[in-house]
Amino acid sequence: MTVNERNGFPEKFQIRMQAMLKEEYGSFLKSYDEKEVRSLRVNTLKGGADRFLETAPFRLEPVLWEKNGFYYREEDRPGKHPLHEAGAYYIQEASAMIPALYLEAAPGERVLDLCAAPGGKSTQIGAAMKGEGLLVCNEPHPERARVLSENMERMGIRNAVVTNETPQNLTAVFWEYFDKILVDAPCSGEGMFRKNGEACVQWSEENVKLCADRQDEILNCAAKMLRPGGRLVYSTCTFAPEENEGSVSRFLKRNPMFHTVSVPMYEGMEGGRGEWIEDPAEGIGKTIRIFPHKMKGEGHFAAVLEKDGECQERFRGACKNGVQRGLLPKDYQEFTCFAEQNLKGVPEGIYLRFGEQLYLAPVGTPSLAGLKVLRPGLHLGAAKKNRFEPAHALALAFDAAHTKNSFALSSKEKEAARFIEGQTFAAEGEKGWYLITVDGYSLGWGKLAGGIMKNHYPKGLRKNIF
């Protein structure tokens, strides 16, 4: 592979980009001499952006297209802060916030994120749904699915089911079931060359073609799972026309019941270019292109598609195995007892048990039989003999207003960081479980006895963030 010494880009990639951008190519290259911009998105499930900004420990600048998105300085290091562990925000590239924004997920809907890891867009969707409805987050790769599950937990998403399936297997279970589907497709990653040097090293024309073929398969599956009148957002982080306008055009020609939708565009965005591919579909100009020399973010592409028809009120699609059945109250009485003692109310939903582990799935959750499921809803904890041990996920999904006992820490003091390390600390109060908070954000569980707050922060998550 021949590369240009100036920026390390593959030669064939540069030839293609120069042909695409023409006189703008110089500005495109120059943008890569600049430092990458860094951004985060405030988690509105744990309070709005206004609340966060009142005491934000970083100097932030708004992202134009996402009201909860902000740029931060490199020296801020938000990943090394107690508020990150509390799920107060998600570190997310600014351009990557656009697809979930255009999905327009709403409370009460059925939403599928088909290629969801590591979870930035899924957690953005979950925040928009406000804990109401069903969010299925799928990731075919097992290790990436585990990371996805951890991020859904950290951000306090209650109404999400995390699966580790192929799109084909999901299609065999769901037929015209979802109101909204996001396909953030695996791609050649050209738009991430600045952030991910490995993507640049692995680039080839053959890989672009391989990705395009894979995208065709994934989109075909998504089309079958979307209800009439539903919305499908397709996105990539590449510049390759074959994977962008090409994938959308091929999809529209295979699925004439779909059409592109015009959406509000922000300064610097531009429409897709039909002249960059052979045989472009009608409406391809309504798709969205993002270039780093025109916007404060990395390269991205998005297309908003809708399926013709309307969903009748009585028709809500089909799940092969029907609706998930839950436990009877007597089968989760350990948790009920815990909730009565420590929470302000027993949460509603479908209670599920896997060995000692108890989960709360959203009302109306489809049967999970035959699917590889990593997280069937909110992890409540473990039902032991004559006692219940609450899960870390339960702490992160609630706040002090929903618990009877809480203990407040400040991110300005070292106690919060020490708690994340697994250390105990002295405290006064009634014996029992306490929700530990940092700057008002839930951080984990502690159990007070004898003037000492025993640390129940999961051992696998403990870290030094000094």
Side-chain angles (χ1 to χ4, degrees):
M1 178 179 67
T2 304
V3 298
N4 179 286
E5 293 181 359
R6 179 170 179 266
N7 52 41
F9 292 160
E11 185 177 43
K12 290 184 178 179
F13 166 78
Q14 295 200 70
I15 292 172
R16 191 200 71 208
M17 292 303 298
Q18 189 168 15
M20 289 167 57
L21 297 177
K22 297 183 173 56
E23 65 275 5
E24 292 183 25
Y25 182 63
S27 297
F28 171 77
L29 281 184
K30 187 176 180 180
S31 71
Y32 284 88
D33 292 334
E34 302 172 0
K35 287 185 177 181
E36 64 178 271
V37 292
R38 302 168 185 268
S39 51
L40 59 82
R41 178 178 43 78
V42 174
N43 183 8
T44 55
L45 290 177
K46 300 192 177 187
D50 289 343
R51 173 197 169 186
F52 182 78
L53 291 173
E54 287 177 0
T55 57
F58 321 117
R59 186 183 300 173
L60 302 174
E61 179 185 338
V63 171
L64 179 63
W65 47 88
E66 170 52 73
K67 63 181 180 181
N68 300 304
F70 299 90
Y71 299 104
Y72 64 87
R73 300 170 303 172
E74 183 178 357
E75 59 267 28
D76 286 331
R77 302 179 69 205
K80 290 282 188 178
H81 196 281
L83 292 182
H84 178 268
E85 306 310 308
Y89 51 81
Y90 191 102
I91 298 173
Q92 184 179 20
E93 203 280 309
S95 296
M97 301 176 191
I98 290 172
L101 180 70
Y102 286 136
L103 190 67
E104 297 183 354
E109 293 183 325
R110 296 174 176 175
V111 182
L112 170 64
D113 188 351
L114 192 50
C115 314
K121 296 176 180 67
S122 280
T123 56
Q124 188 177 358
I125 293 168
M129 296 179 72
K130 301 179 181 179
E132 301 176 19
L134 171 68
L135 172 58
V136 177
C137 309
N138 181 70
E139 172 55 45
H141 191 280
E143 181 60 25
R144 286 171 56 82
R146 182 188 65 79
V147 174
L148 166 66
S149 183
E150 291 176 354
N151 280 325
M152 300 304 288
E153 174 181 293
R154 181 172 63 85
M155 300 297 278
I157 311 293
R158 301 188 195 184
N159 60 322
V161 173
V162 179
T163 57
N164 172 214
E165 283 291 355
T166 65
Q168 291 81 1
N169 286 349
L170 287 180
T171 303
V173 175
F174 300 105
W175 178 70
E176 294 191 338
Y177 186 84
F178 295 99
D179 300 298
K180 308 276 177 65
I181 297 179
L182 175 64
V183 176
D184 185 45
C187 67
S188 56
E190 296 172 1
M192 295 292 117
F193 279 180
R194 174 168 29 208
K195 297 173 68 70
N196 183 3
E198 188 63 26
C200 186
V201 172
Q202 294 182 352
W203 185 91
S204 69
E205 291 180 313
E206 292 75 19
N207 187 45
V208 169
K209 177 65 167 63
L210 181 66
C211 289
D213 291 341
R214 187 185 299 124
Q215 291 153 7
D216 288 350
E217 296 176 6
I218 295 172
L219 281 169
N220 283 344
C221 292
K224 296 174 184 177
M225 291 187 280
L226 187 70
R227 69 163 174 83
R231 173 168 289 200
L232 166 63
V233 172
Y234 171 77
S235 64
T236 72
C237 57
T238 191
F239 302 118
E242 190 172 359
E243 301 179 64
N244 293 336
E245 292 91 347
S247 286
V248 174
S249 288
R250 294 190 301 273
F251 172 77
L252 291 173
K253 291 179 184 298
R254 293 192 308 270
N255 298 274
M257 74 290 297
F258 279 82
H259 60 274
T260 55
V261 177
S262 295
V263 293
M265 295 176 66
Y266 296 85
E267 183 179 355
M269 292 183 180
E270 60 182 53
R273 303 282 288 275
E275 64 268 28
W276 288 346
I277 60 172
E278 296 181 3
D279 196 21
E282 182 180 353
I284 203 66
K286 297 177 183 178
T287 61
I288 299 166
R289 279 257 183 193
I290 298 168
F291 289 101
H293 64 291
K294 292 188 173 184
M295 297 186 70
K296 199 174 179 181
E298 303 298 335
H300 234 80
F301 173 87
V304 181
L305 308 165
E306 286 187 358
K307 195 173 187 177
D308 295 340
E310 295 182 359
C311 183
Q312 297 180 6
E313 187 173 345
R314 295 182 180 180
F315 176 76
R316 291 285 297 167
C319 172
K320 179 181 178 181
N321 299 311
V323 178
Q324 180 68 44
R325 294 183 179 181
L327 300 173
L328 296 174
K330 66 180 181 64
D331 296 321
Y332 56 89
Q333 58 186 358
E334 300 96 338
F335 174 73
T336 301
C337 182
F338 170 85
E340 291 174 347
Q341 294 175 355
N342 299 283
L343 305 180
K344 295 179 181 178
V346 180
E348 296 182 359
I350 301 173
Y351 285 82
L352 305 174
R353 192 165 182 167
F354 300 86
E356 293 182 336
Q357 304 304 315
L358 191 68
Y359 289 82
L360 184 68
V363 174
T365 294
S367 172
L368 305 176
L371 294 175
K372 296 177 185 177
V373 179
L374 274 70
R375 184 173 295 271
L378 175 62
H379 187 197
L380 299 175
K384 307 284 187 178
K385 186 177 181 180
N386 299 323
R387 62 190 174 90
F388 185 84
E389 292 187 1
H392 187 57
L394 181 62
L396 295 177
F398 283 78
D399 57 28
H402 294 89
T403 57
K404 293 185 177 180
N405 296 311
S406 62
F407 194 96
L409 301 176
S410 170
S411 65
K412 296 179 180 179
E413 306 295 334
K414 293 184 178 181
E415 283 77 6
R418 287 170 177 162
F419 180 77
I420 294 169
E421 287 182 342
Q423 297 184 30
T424 60
F425 58 87
E428 297 296 331
E430 296 183 4
K431 179 181 178 181
W433 289 100
Y434 281 71
L435 180 69
I436 309 300
T437 66
V438 55
D439 299 349
Y441 296 91
S442 56
L443 187 60
W445 292 110
K447 196 171 187 181
L448 184 60
I452 298 297
M453 186 71 75
K454 184 178 180 182
N455 194 310
H456 280 261
Y457 203 84
K459 293 182 179 180
L461 297 178
R462 294 176 183 178
K463 62 182 70 172
N464 186 327
I465 61 172
F466 283 111

